Amino acid sequence: MVRKNLKKISKSEKLKEFIKKYKVPPEYLSTNRRMVSKAVLIGLFIAFIPMPMQMLLVLAMMPFFKFNVPIGLAMCWLSNPFTMPPMYYMEYMTGAYFLGSEPLNVEMTLEWFSKNIDNIFIDLYTGTLFYSVVGSLSGYWLVNHFWKSSVHKDKKLHRNDRKS
């Protein structure tokens, strides 16, 4: 269903006019399986990194990787002011577990994290690396899996329609 909606949007005349008007390279808006799955991979990888202006980092990846930029930007919105404290807590606790260090008593506020960043930096970014890699690869695999199964389902339905 998502695949079909993306295909409809990509054929939109308004989108074509936008691309022409602003001279946007069309590959950055392409809605094929590879471009969408790479966008999910890059967007989710960056979403787990505790840093400001994650969207700029997604845009900085454009010259190095071809991917659907709007989807990549949307994926990095996974981390937002509501989800950041629990995400950073989860990453910090995981990193402390992996490194065998004693975790500090954590308050679920951005203020606490900013005050204690010197004490938790290595643990936090160890957990960040783990979740960035696992989360982005899982998202990449899920998009590919569901996209392929959607294509196979459509082919099967089309074959059954022709036989009738």
Side-chain angles (χ1 to χ4, degrees):
M1 182 162 199
V2 172
R3 183 178 61 83
K4 288 180 183 179
N5 288 336
L6 285 173
K7 293 292 182 185
K8 285 179 190 174
I9 291 169
S10 67
K11 293 177 182 175
S12 163
E13 288 301 318
K14 287 183 181 181
L15 182 62
K16 289 177 184 177
E17 289 173 22
F18 176 84
I19 291 170
K20 189 181 279 186
K21 180 178 179 182
Y22 294 104
K23 298 178 180 136
V24 176
E27 62 266 13
Y28 293 129
L29 299 171
S30 180
T31 55
N32 62 48
R33 180 180 54 86
R34 285 194 177 116
M35 298 298 258
V36 171
S37 58
K38 278 196 277 186
V40 169
L41 177 87
I42 290 168
L44 285 179
F45 187 87
I46 293 170
F48 282 101
I49 301 172
M51 62 176 273
M53 298 185 271
Q54 295 169 323
M55 290 173 65
L56 290 178
L57 185 55
V58 171
L59 293 175
M61 296 289 154
M62 286 172 51
F64 306 106
F65 305 100
K66 289 185 180 175
F67 59 96
N68 185 300
V69 175
I71 292 175
L73 291 171
M75 288 294 106
C76 79
W77 294 343
L78 172 69
S79 60
N80 59 62
F82 299 109
T83 61
M84 282 179 190
M87 282 175 66
Y88 295 171
Y89 175 77
M90 176 181 67
E91 291 171 352
Y92 168 63
M93 296 305 274
T94 302
Y97 174 78
F98 285 160
L99 297 175
S101 59
E102 187 66 33
L104 302 174
N105 289 329
V106 177
E107 293 178 23
M108 295 288 280
T109 62
L110 289 174
E111 181 182 337
W112 183 90
F113 278 98
S114 61
K115 282 183 182 178
N116 292 293
I117 193 69
D118 294 339
N119 301 328
I120 66 169
F121 184 82
I122 293 179
D123 293 342
L124 175 64
Y125 278 90
T126 300
T128 296
L129 179 64
F130 172 76
Y131 285 107
S132 286
V133 170
V134 171
S136 62
L137 289 175
S138 297
Y140 180 84
W141 183 84
L142 284 170
V143 168
N144 274 305
H145 173 74
F146 287 118
W147 195 290
K148 287 177 182 177
S149 65
S150 173
V151 168
H152 291 301
K153 181 181 172 186
D154 286 351
K155 283 182 180 178
K156 188 175 180 180
L157 287 173
H158 183 69
R159 269 189 251 129
N160 290 340
D161 287 345
R162 285 193 307 182
K163 289 179 181 178
S164 301

